[in-house]
Amino acid sequence: MIKTNAARLLDAAGIPYELIPYDYTEEDLSAQHVAAELGEDIDQVFKTLVLRGDRTGFFVCVIPGDFEVDLKVAARISGNKSCEMLHVKELLPTTGYIRGGCSPIGMKKAFPTYIHESALLYDYIYISAGQRGLQFKIAPQALFDFVGAELYPI
């Protein structure tokens, strides 16, 4: 299995994780598909969303796979009056990642990151390892600490 840049960053920091491969199709890059492929509860499979705030610029929200981002809450917690999802065409040049393979670890630039508080309910969660078809199984507190995340409240 090829290690991603995100995996190399975790290795360098001495943070334990597992790389978990799964089958994907271009037609279904959803977190629900990932959860089904992994045989895991959708509540433990988190997706990484990149947003643009009107005051602070880019920021990242990591939320459970079956959640939708609440733009008003996301704006408030990030110190913005309003925000919007980053358009998919802007994802690669902004983060270095493509849709379906966006990880909160190893983006081109360290953006403020907010992880949904439900992550702390679990011993481990799944997040993208930086490419389609590959997930990290990682302790949520280790992820919080590594990316310097803040809690994203319900």
Side-chain angles (χ1 to χ4, degrees), residues 68-81:
E68 294 295 324
V69 68
D70 182 325
L71 294 176
K72 289 182 182 191
V73 171
R76 187 182 77 248
I77 65 169
S78 63
N80 289 285
K81 189 172 182 176

Side-chain angles (χ1 to χ4, degrees), residues 24-132:
Y24 74 94
T25 66
E26 295 286 330
E27 294 77 38
D28 189 358
L29 297 172
S30 70
Q32 289 84 351
H33 175 78
V34 174
E37 284 291 317
L38 298 176
E40 291 287 347
D41 188 332
I42 187 67
D43 294 336
Q44 283 183 266
V45 176
F46 282 67
K47 57 188 175 184
T48 302
L49 305 173
V50 183
L51 298 95
R52 179 186 291 120
D54 65 330
R55 295 180 179 160
T56 65
F58 301 114
F59 65 98
V60 176
C61 290
V62 180
I63 62 173
D66 61 344
F67 278 38
E68 294 295 324
V69 68
D70 182 325
L71 294 176
K72 289 182 182 191
V73 171
R76 187 182 77 248
I77 65 169
S78 63
N80 289 285
K81 189 172 182 176
S82 66
C83 66
E84 63 185 10
M85 291 289 298
L86 189 65
H87 192 278
V88 71
K89 289 188 287 189
E90 297 176 280
L91 192 59
L92 181 60
T94 303
T95 67
Y97 291 123
I98 60 173
R99 181 175 166 265
C102 188
S103 179
I105 299 167
M107 290 188 183
K108 285 183 172 182
K109 182 179 174 189
F111 298 116
T113 301
Y114 304 89
I115 301 175
H116 194 269
E117 64 190 2
S118 67
L120 296 176
L121 298 174
Y122 304 102
D123 293 334
Y124 61 87
I125 60 171
Y126 293 90
I127 59 167
S128 175
Q131 71 181 41
R132 292 175 179 168

